[in-house]
């Protein structure tokens, strides 16, 4: 048996490099098993197991980070170990953990099957983690599908509620559509990256099959056989990712899905899958389609320039549309949905900077900025949805902005926390949102995108109107209807403490976190060097 | 005393925390909040007096400096210090806060905990603005001061408070966001947010004229809106009128100075060439503001709105002085900032007193207040005269210095015309103030409700005394203040007049 293994072609497998993903998978399976056999009174166990799984996975991630091995990839280069991945993985675990905290009471209150919800949440997390760790378009697509299918179900989790059903169905249909775009794009890129290799006599004789490995793609785009296919493939993938991170003009699904989905699920969707989308979007475009000077240089310079310019347009559209439409919303969840679109736009500003940077240090700084931005967004956004969920009560009944009228001094803890999150989303100083904006706008200014940044800050000014509106309604208005302050469940209180302190910590002392992400991502240059070297060698 | 400035910033914050903690005490009483707030602000004022031992005593150097790394990754530093230019503004802030709290003593009945906590946080932010030497840190405090003021206007303000609060917030936020772009752009040119480092770097390698032009505008817009310079002033009458009395006092007394201080500290020092190029436009706008503010003030039916528009006029003088680029003009501008804080702050207090008694601020509702309220009327007249700029009172010194400075200025070739036009502002001030006094204080008691009004009580007298003392003292002995600020202001003026790239401008008058 062992001799058979030794003789067959064994790819390099380093199981330890996907330890966090494996741990979450095991936890998800255990949750399903336990839930099947547990008595209904012991349902809380599934939440406990899930949390334990997330914490152990986080420890494993930190361990990987601290003991980064020399070999930075596994499974024949399909899985990458770099700090872009690890940074995002920690964000996903944080998002999943916070979602778990704010959903526990909701699941119980609505008489929903806790085990199913928790295992779906864990599987979605695994999907996101693979999206960040995949160095191969196939892995990224697999991760995306694991994530998507789990979230389709989660969005429709309140089966008896029509809005929840609508949300799920819309998300499913449009999501499948976008997945198809992505897959088609992957296929085209695969076709485009087949290259002709010199035969033994020096003439071009052998056609090598295409590739889905991102580093390989980067090294081959300089001599791609069918440049037009590359363009088409890149455009298709842009649409697929653009959908996942909800950028204009691929954002249409967002408000309906966010409004209809149960609030904890919305919190998760706005923070997690968006970050995951960015993780693979950055990896595919920044590392897979870099600026390459090659024999047929013009083509590839153009490809790089084309997607960067497209992203600039998308960023402007996304920020402006998200903020302007958010102004007229009367439902808090819908308003936050448009705000999430706008925030995808701000993050795209940093992404543009990462794409446009030709110097590895500047590019890494820009990527750090985007990762940091998505971290801050995850913290403040989940915090905001935690408050929205408590105020909405069971069945998400009270989500209109009018439901918040005059509650400021009736439940000061909720109202002041929500105000803090609104100010943070607005980007006021001393909050995480401010530092996030400084980072992404700074990265863009470093690349001389002054116009883009000015559009960005003017958009922030526009957004003041609707973020402040909630504060105004809560504090400046007088309560007209009877209102009893809702009780804050312990787990939600814990989530609120974490997010409030997180917003303040990231806003006042972001240095340590930025430094952590910064120094780590620097070693990503290795992959970059590899791809560039590959390009040169091929030349 | 090491870390004196950090202590100054954190004392009010600690006070706010104590207030919040006290709210969890089961035997708490509403009226204790104001005492706690008063203790915190008086303590802050007492500590701030220690600054007098160092700042501005010898030359322009920064004193009480604290300089540690804040966000290493982007090179932002926690760099605090005071010099002659910021010393008096810090003291003005710490002096006005206890007064503002005393003025709210009985007028604020609802949500006292939040009210005093917001006031204390506001104080910390304002002190932070004046002592920050790191651009990012400065911006952070500059913006942070918006939030408590937004709540103060929005929760405890008058009838149109929501409109006023939102207008105030959005106007100021738009301006400062563009400044943020400017700050980041400077960072990527010089790789530093640190003010002294930037000054050196800019001397060594000046900005390109184009960059300087745009950066000047980005900073100036934020400060012009804050000042507010005509035509960016429209948020001010609403915010001042709707804010609670203490809010108006702080808004006029300190928050407007964040703008003029920013112009002096950052615009003039960092972008000297652009400052000179823009001076004619800005002087024109300042003069329009002086005259327009005064004329509009004249026809206001509401006393508070009248005082608010007089602020537009007074702040026009400050900007005029700053952009005269003369020693007298710039020193006068700094002095006028203090004067305006003292006089206009006092005027808003008087307006608050009669509003608390009558619940109206309409001039037509009053008349002959001198009879039922002799003390009130006497002091009100003194404060008004100080605002007009009567000799022996503080307003005169500031405006006189600014006008002389402008007359001798070479910033524009038509400085004598500018001076003459600006001087009419003083006359207009006399017109609108005296006319208002005539209708409110003097004459027969036309409304029966006014006949039974009670005069100032002890608390109101006590909180006015420091301001009235300052009006007199600053009017007769300005040297104490001007000596301390001279060296710092001169350093900035030297940069404007003899900047690396230019130098064609020379000082017109040297006064020793």
């Amino acid at each position: 048996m062992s001799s058979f293994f030794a003789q067959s072609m064994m790819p390099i497998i380093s199981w330890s490099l996907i330890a966090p993903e494996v741990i979450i998978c095991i936890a998800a399976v255990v949750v399903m098993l336990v839930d099947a056999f547990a008595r209904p009174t012991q349902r809380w166990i599934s939440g406990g197991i899930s949390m334990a799984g997330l914490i152990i996975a986080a420890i494993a991630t930190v361990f990987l980070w601290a003991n980064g091995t020399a070999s930075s990839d596994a499974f024949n280069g399909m899985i990458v170990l770099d700090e872009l991945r690890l940074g995002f993985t920690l964000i996903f675990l944080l998002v999943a953990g916070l979602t778990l905290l704010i959903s526990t009471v909701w699941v119980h209150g609505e008489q929903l099957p806790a085990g199913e919800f928790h295992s779906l949440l864990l599987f979605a997390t695994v999907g996101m983690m693979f999206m960040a760790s995949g160095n191969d378009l196939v892995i990224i697509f697999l991760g995306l599908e694991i994530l998507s299918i789990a979230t389709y179900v989660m969005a429709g989790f309140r089966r008896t509620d029509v809005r929840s059903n609508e949300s799920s169905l819309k998300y499913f249909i449009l999501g499948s559509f976008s997945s198809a775009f992505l897959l088609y794009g992957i296929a085209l890129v695969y076709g485009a990256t087949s290259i002709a290799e010199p035969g033994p006599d020096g003439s071009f004789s052998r056609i090598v099959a295409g590739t889905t490995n991102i580093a390989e793609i980067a090294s081959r785009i300089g001599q791609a056989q069918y440049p037009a296919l590359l363009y088409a493939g890149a455009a298709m993938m842009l649409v697929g990712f653009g959908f996942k991170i909800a950028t204009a003009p691929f954002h249409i699904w967002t408000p309906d899905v966010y409004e209809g989905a149960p609030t904890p699920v919305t919190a998760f969707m706005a923070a997690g899958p968006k970050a995951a989308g960015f993780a693979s979007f950055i990896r595919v475009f920044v590392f897979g389609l870099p600026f390459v000077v090659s024999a047929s240089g013009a083509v590839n310079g153009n490809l790089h320039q084309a997607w960067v310019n497209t992203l600039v347009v998308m960023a402007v559209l996304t920020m402006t549309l998200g903020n302007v439409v958010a102004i007229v919303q009367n439902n808090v969840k819908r308003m936050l949905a448009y705000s999430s679109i706008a925030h995808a736009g701000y993050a795209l500003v940093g992404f543009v900077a990462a794409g446009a940077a030709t110097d590895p240090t500047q590019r890494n700084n820009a990527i750090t900025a985007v990762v940091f931005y998505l971290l801050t967004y995850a913290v403040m956004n989940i915090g905001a949805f935690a408050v929205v969920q408590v105020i909405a009560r069971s069945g998400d009944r009270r989500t209109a902005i009018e439901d918040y009228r005059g509650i400021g001094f009736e439940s000061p803890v909720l109202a002041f926390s929500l105000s803090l999150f609104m100010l943070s989303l607005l980007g006021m100083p001393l909050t995480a949102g401010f530092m996030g904006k400084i980072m992404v706008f700074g990265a863009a200014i470093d690349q001389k995108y002054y116009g883009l940044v000015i559009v960005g800050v003017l958009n922030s000014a526009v957004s003041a109107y609707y973020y402040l509106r909630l504060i105004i309604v809560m504090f400046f208005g007088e309560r007209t209807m009877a209102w009893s302050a809702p009780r804050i469940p312990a787990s939600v209180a814990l989530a609120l403490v974490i997010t409030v302190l997180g917003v303040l910590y990231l806003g006042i002392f972001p240095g340590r976190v930025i430094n952590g992400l910064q120094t780590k991502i620097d070693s990503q240059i290795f992959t970059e060097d590899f791809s560039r070297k590959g390009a040169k060698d091929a030349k | 005393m090491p870390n004196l400035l950090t202590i100054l910033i954190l004392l009010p914050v600690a006070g706010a925390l104590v207030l919040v903690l006290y709210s969890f005490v089961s035997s708490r009483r509403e009226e204790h909040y104001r005492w706690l707030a008063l203790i915190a602000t008086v303590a802050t004022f007492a500590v701030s007096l220690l600054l007098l031992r160092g700042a501005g005593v010898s030359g322009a150097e920064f004193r009480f400096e604290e300089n540690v790394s804040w966000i290493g990754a982007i090179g932002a530093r926690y760099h605090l210090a005071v010099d002659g230019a910021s010393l008096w503004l810090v003291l003005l802030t710490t002096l006005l806060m206890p007064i503002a709290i005393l003025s709210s003593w009985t007028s604020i009945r609802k949500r006292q905990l939040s009210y005093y906590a917001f006031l204390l946080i506001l104080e910390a932010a304002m002190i932070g603005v004046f002592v920050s030497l790191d651009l990012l840190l400065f911006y952070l405090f500059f913006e942070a001061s918006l939030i408590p003021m937004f709540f103060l206007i929005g929760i405890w303000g008058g009838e149109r408070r929501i409109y006023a609060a939102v207008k105030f917030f959005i106007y100021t936020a738009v301006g400062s966001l563009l400044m943020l772009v400017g700050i980041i752009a400077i960072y990527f040119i010089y790789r530093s947010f640190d003010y002294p480092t930037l000054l050196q770097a800019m001397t060594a390698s000046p900005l390109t004229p184009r960059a300087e032009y745009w950066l000047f505008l980005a900073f100036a817009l934020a400060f012009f809106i804050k000042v507010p310079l005509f035509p960016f002033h429209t948020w001010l009458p609403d915010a001042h009128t709707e804010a609670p009395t203490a809010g108006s006092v702080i808004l006029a007394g300190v928050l407007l100075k964040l703008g003029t201080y920013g112009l002096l500290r950052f615009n003039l020092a960092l972008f000297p060439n652009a400052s000179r190029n823009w001076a004619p436009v800005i002087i024109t706008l300042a003069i329009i503001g002086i005259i327009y503010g005064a004329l509009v003030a004249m026809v206001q039916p509401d006393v508070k709105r009248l005082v608010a528009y007089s602020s537009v006029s007074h702040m026009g003088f400050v900007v005029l002085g700053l952009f005269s680029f003369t020693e007298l003009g710039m020193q006068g501008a700094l002095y006028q900032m203090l004067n305006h804080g003292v006089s206009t702050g006092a005027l808003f207090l008087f307006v608050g007193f009669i509003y608390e008694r009558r619940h109206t601020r309409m001039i037509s509702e009053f008349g002959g207040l001198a009879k039922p309220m002799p003390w009130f009327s006497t002091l009100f007249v003194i404060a008004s005269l100080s605002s007009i700029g009567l000799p022996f009172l503080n307003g005169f010194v500031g405006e006189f210095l600014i006008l002389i400075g402008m007359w001798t200025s070479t910033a524009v070739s038509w400085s004598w015309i500018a001076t003459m036009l600006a001087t009419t502002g003083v006359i207009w001030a006399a017109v609108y103030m005296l006319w208002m006094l005539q209708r409110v204080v003097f004459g027969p008691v036309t409304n029966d409700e006014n006949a039974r009004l009670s005069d100032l009580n002890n608390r109101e007298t006590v909180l006015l005394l420091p301001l009235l003392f300052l009006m007199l003292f600053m009017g007769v002995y300005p040297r104490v203040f001007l000596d301390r600020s001279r060296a710092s202001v001169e350093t900035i003026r030297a940069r404007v007049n003899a900047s690396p790239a230019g130098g064609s401008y020379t000082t017109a008058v040297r006064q020793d």
Side-chain angles (χ1 to χ4, degrees):
Chain A
M1 197 66 190
S2 64
S3 63
F4 168 74
F5 268 108
Q7 280 160 17
S8 67
M9 258 188 46
M10 270 298 283
I12 313 155
I13 291 177
S14 321
W15 286 101
S16 64
L17 291 196
I18 55 164
E21 284 85 350
V22 171
I23 290 166
I24 301 283
C25 276
I26 293 173
V29 174
V30 171
V31 164
M32 282 200 288
L33 283 174
V34 168
D35 192 61
F37 296 107
R39 279 190 294 272
T41 49
Q42 294 174 330
R43 286 283 177 78
W44 58 271
I45 291 176
S46 71
I49 297 171
S50 313
M51 189 52 93
L54 291 172
I55 291 171
I56 296 171
I59 292 170
T61 312
V62 173
F63 192 76
L64 276 182
W65 205 325
N67 301 293
T69 44
S71 70
S72 67
D73 51 14
F75 294 91
N76 239 356
M78 293 187 108
I79 297 289
V80 68
L81 175 71
D82 61 17
E83 288 67 23
L84 175 61
R85 165 194 168 184
L86 294 177
F88 269 113
T89 302
L90 284 180
I91 294 180
F92 302 147
L93 293 172
L94 178 73
V95 167
L98 288 172
T99 310
L100 203 60
L101 283 179
I102 66 173
S103 64
T104 311
V105 178
W106 163 74
V107 168
H108 274 271
E110 308 244 331
Q111 306 288 322
L112 295 169
E116 285 172 29
F117 182 77
H118 291 144
S119 58
L120 282 171
L121 180 65
L122 292 182
F123 280 126
T125 311
V126 171
M128 296 195 292
M129 288 158 81
F130 273 118
M131 284 176 77
S133 61
N135 197 31
D136 193 293
L137 295 176
V138 173
I139 296 288
I140 287 174
F141 183 75
L142 276 180
L144 183 88
E145 282 302 288
I146 298 174
L147 164 69
S148 300
I149 291 168
T151 35
Y152 298 149
V153 183
M154 282 162 74
F157 214 65
R158 228 176 25 230
R159 275 170 305 195
T160 50
D161 184 348
V162 179
R163 285 179 301 164
S164 186
N165 297 347
E166 180 200 343
S167 159
S168 176
L169 196 65
K170 261 193 185 151
Y171 195 25
F172 173 64
I173 292 173
L174 290 171
S176 317
F177 205 53
S178 81
S179 295
F181 264 98
L182 184 64
L183 197 57
Y184 197 26
I186 291 172
L188 290 179
V189 169
Y190 178 81
T193 49
S194 76
I195 53 171
E197 239 179 28
D201 57 345
S203 66
F204 285 94
S205 59
R206 204 159 67 94
I207 300 291
V208 182
T211 180
T212 50
N213 183 289
I214 288 168
E216 276 288 297
I217 293 172
S219 72
R220 287 190 189 181
I221 56 171
Q223 341 130 49
Q225 292 284 72
Y226 310 105
L229 282 188
L230 256 187
Y231 276 100
M236 295 272 182
M237 292 200 293
L238 199 79
V239 173
F241 287 123
F243 177 88
K244 273 293 150 199
I245 60 175
T247 55
F250 314 114
H251 67 281
I252 308 289
W253 59 279
T254 319
D256 290 338
V257 172
Y258 281 18
E259 188 190 357
T263 308
V265 178
T266 314
F268 176 76
M269 284 198 296
K274 190 187 289 280
F278 266 102
S280 26
F281 202 176
I282 289 176
R283 193 177 300 285
V284 172
F285 278 80
V286 176
F287 295 109
L289 306 173
F291 181 77
V292 178
V293 183
S294 64
S296 53
V299 169
N300 309 291
N302 284 348
L303 173 65
H304 174 263
Q305 199 56 48
W307 72 257
V308 170
N309 287 346
T310 312
L311 282 190
V312 170
V313 174
M314 277 167 67
V316 170
L317 273 180
T318 309
M319 288 188 288
T320 313
L321 191 135
N323 282 316
V324 171
V325 183
I327 290 179
V328 296
Q329 300 306 319
N330 287 320
N331 180 297
V332 175
K333 283 168 80 177
R334 242 184 135 73
M335 187 266 273
L336 285 172
Y338 279 106
S339 132
S340 122
I341 295 173
H343 279 274
Y346 298 134
L348 272 183
V349 172
F351 189 174
V352 166
T358 45
D359 168 52
T361 319
Q362 287 182 3
R363 191 207 52 210
N364 285 326
N365 286 343
I367 292 176
T368 310
V370 178
V371 179
F372 182 75
Y373 190 85
L374 291 166
L375 171 67
T376 61
Y377 179 69
V379 173
M380 59 201 182
N381 186 57
I382 293 189
F385 274 111
V387 178
V388 170
Q389 189 218 336
V390 174
I391 291 175
R393 313 205 183 184
S394 65
D396 278 346
R397 279 174 290 126
R398 297 191 175 161
T399 54
I401 286 181
E402 273 309 297
D403 289 326
Y404 289 72
R405 180 163 294 280
I407 69 169
F409 292 100
E410 304 294 323
S411 32
V413 174
L414 290 176
F416 276 106
S417 315
L418 188 56
S419 303
L420 179 72
F421 298 132
M422 288 300 130
L423 291 173
S424 180
L425 287 166
L426 167 53
M428 290 304 283
L430 299 173
T431 63
F434 173 68
M435 284 301 161
K437 282 206 176 117
I438 292 264
M439 294 295 289
V440 289
F441 290 161
I445 286 179
D446 202 12
Q447 300 303 320
K448 308 272 186 284
Y449 280 94
Y450 295 110
L452 187 60
V453 172
I454 288 175
V455 172
V457 294
L458 291 181
N459 263 294
S460 299
V462 171
S463 72
Y465 194 82
Y466 62 89
Y467 290 129
L468 292 184
R469 184 170 164 210
L470 207 50
I471 298 179
I472 290 168
V473 167
M474 287 194 297
F475 285 100
F476 303 174
E478 294 296 333
R479 187 86 202 145
T480 43
M481 292 173 285
W483 160 267
S484 58
R487 204 178 57 82
I488 310 173
S491 60
V492 178
L494 180 59
L496 273 183
V497 169
I498 294 172
T499 46
V500 165
L501 291 182
V503 163
L504 291 175
Y505 180 74
L506 292 175
I508 304 174
F509 305 108
R512 283 178 69 98
V513 177
I514 297 174
N515 263 338
L517 297 169
Q518 184 86 55
T519 46
K520 296 306 175 181
I521 287 182
D522 275 349
S523 63
Q524 180 75 32
I525 289 171
F526 174 76
T527 317
E528 159 72 9
D529 286 343
F530 168 70
S531 62
R532 297 223 161 162
K533 192 157 58 68
K536 277 192 204 113
D537 288 352
K539 194 165 52 177
Chain B
M1 198 160 159
N3 301 332
L4 182 65
L5 294 176
T6 303
I7 293 171
L8 263 184
I9 294 174
L10 288 184
L11 254 181
V13 176
L17 282 180
V18 169
L19 280 181
V20 173
L21 289 179
Y22 176 71
S23 73
F24 290 107
V25 176
S26 54
S27 59
R28 69 179 180 278
R29 288 169 58 189
E30 281 283 297
E31 63 264 30
H32 285 173
Y33 290 129
R34 58 196 190 196
W35 278 107
L36 288 171
L38 185 66
I39 292 167
T41 49
V42 170
T44 313
F45 177 61
V47 173
S48 70
L49 287 177
L50 292 173
L51 293 178
L52 286 173
R53 296 200 318 194
V57 175
S58 55
E61 69 197 50
F62 289 109
R63 301 296 297 268
F64 302 102
E65 195 160 351
E66 294 171 42
N67 191 356
V68 291
S69 178
W70 168 38
I71 311 172
I74 53 174
R77 303 189 68 79
Y78 180 74
H79 192 176
L80 307 179
V82 285
D83 67 352
S86 51
L87 165 72
W88 297 115
L89 291 166
V90 175
L91 289 181
L92 177 72
T93 311
T94 54
L95 171 70
L96 282 179
M97 283 312 294
I99 293 175
I101 284 175
L102 276 174
S103 78
S104 321
W105 212 250
T106 52
S107 57
I108 298 299
R109 294 264 162 76
K110 65 170 187 180
R111 328 269 188 227
Q112 297 195 20
L113 164 66
S114 318
Y115 179 82
Y116 291 110
F118 278 131
L119 272 181
L120 288 169
I121 292 169
L122 181 60
E123 177 174 21
M126 293 186 304
I127 296 175
V129 171
F130 290 130
V131 301
S132 299
L133 285 188
D134 183 279
L135 288 184
L136 196 65
L137 193 64
F138 168 81
Y139 179 83
L140 187 136
F141 285 121
F142 190 80
E143 279 279 90
S145 68
L146 271 182
I147 300 165
M149 202 54 182
F150 172 69
F151 278 99
L152 284 173
I153 298 176
I155 301 178
W156 294 274
E159 267 170 30
R160 292 169 65 236
R161 60 183 189 274
I162 295 177
Y163 171 77
V166 172
K167 195 170 177 183
F168 164 72
F169 192 102
I170 291 186
Y171 256 70
T172 13
V174 170
S176 41
L177 279 167
L178 289 175
M179 178 168 75
L180 179 62
V181 179
I183 289 174
I184 301 176
I186 288 185
Y187 173 75
F188 281 107
I189 297 172
Y190 292 105
R191 296 281 155 187
S192 176
F193 287 117
D194 192 54
Y195 178 72
T197 314
L198 283 173
L199 286 183
Q200 277 183 3
M202 287 181 172
T203 314
S205 60
L207 288 163
T208 60
R210 192 159 163 263
E212 195 176 334
Y213 177 91
W214 286 109
L215 287 171
F216 176 88
L217 278 188
F219 276 67
L221 185 64
F223 297 138
F224 286 167
I225 292 176
K226 200 85 176 181
V227 170
L229 187 71
F230 178 89
F232 307 106
H233 65 280
T234 58
W235 64 270
L236 180 133
D238 292 308
H240 274 67
T241 313
E242 299 305 322
T245 300
S248 309
V249 172
I250 300 298
L251 202 53
V254 187
L255 280 182
L256 302 189
K257 276 70 188 184
L258 304 189
T260 42
Y261 171 78
L263 285 175
L264 175 68
R265 172 75 79 206
F266 298 107
N267 272 74
L268 295 189
L270 294 178
F271 319 116
N273 300 310
S275 298
R276 287 200 314 269
N277 293 338
W278 277 97
V281 177
I282 293 165
I283 288 173
T284 311
L285 290 178
I287 291 171
I288 296 177
I290 291 172
I291 297 173
Y292 169 85
L295 290 180
V296 179
M298 201 155 58
V299 296
Q300 293 304 315
D302 179 328
V303 190
K304 207 172 181 184
R305 246 185 135 73
L306 183 146
V307 179
Y309 273 108
S310 82
S311 282
V312 177
S313 182
H314 286 292
M315 295 310 282
F317 273 107
V318 177
V319 175
L320 187 73
L322 287 179
F323 281 83
S324 70
F325 307 138
T326 56
E327 179 185 358
L328 293 180
M330 291 171 72
Q331 280 270 60
L334 191 66
Y335 204 63
Q336 185 65 8
M337 290 189 217
L338 306 177
N339 291 337
H340 180 256
V342 170
S343 313
T344 311
L347 287 177
F348 276 120
L349 289 172
F350 285 109
V351 176
F353 295 157
I354 53 171
Y355 182 75
E356 217 179 318
R357 287 169 171 71
R358 279 292 318 278
H359 295 285
T360 178
R361 294 182 301 249
M362 289 298 147
I363 294 176
S364 55
E365 288 285 318
F366 297 100
L369 286 188
K371 202 156 278 169
M373 308 170 72
W375 271 109
F376 168 89
S377 304
T378 313
L379 302 183
F380 189 27
V381 170
I382 295 176
S384 304
L385 292 176
S386 132
S387 179
I388 294 170
L390 192 80
F392 281 116
L393 291 172
N394 58 351
F396 172 74
V397 182
E399 285 177 2
F400 189 65
L401 285 174
I402 290 171
L403 291 172
I404 295 187
M406 194 61 227
W407 182 267
T408 56
S409 168
T410 53
V412 286
S413 53
W414 35 274
S415 61
W416 63 278
I417 304 177
T419 314
M420 283 172 63
L421 287 172
T423 312
T424 63
V426 184
I427 301 167
W428 294 120
V431 173
Y432 63 75
M433 273 296 171
L434 293 178
W435 192 31
M436 184 271 291
L437 284 179
Q438 186 198 353
R439 286 178 293 167
V440 172
V441 175
F442 299 113
V445 181
T446 47
N447 190 327
D448 284 345
E449 281 188 63
N450 295 330
R452 296 182 303 278
L453 291 182
S454 56
D455 206 350
L456 296 182
N457 61 28
N458 290 339
R459 173 181 58 83
E460 289 165 343
T461 317
V462 165
L463 71 89
L464 283 174
L465 281 181
L467 297 180
L468 287 161
F469 169 75
L470 278 177
M471 286 176 204
L472 275 170
F473 183 74
M474 292 173 77
V476 294
Y477 202 64
R479 264 194 75 164
V480 184
F481 300 88
L482 294 174
D483 279 357
R484 291 277 183 128
S485 59
R486 166 176 290 147
S488 300
V489 173
E490 278 297 273
T491 313
I492 295 171
R493 191 173 69 90
R495 278 191 77 84
V496 183
N497 283 332
S499 63
S504 61
Y505 284 85
T506 49
T507 331
V509 171
R510 282 227 39 123
Q511 279 253 337
D512 281 308

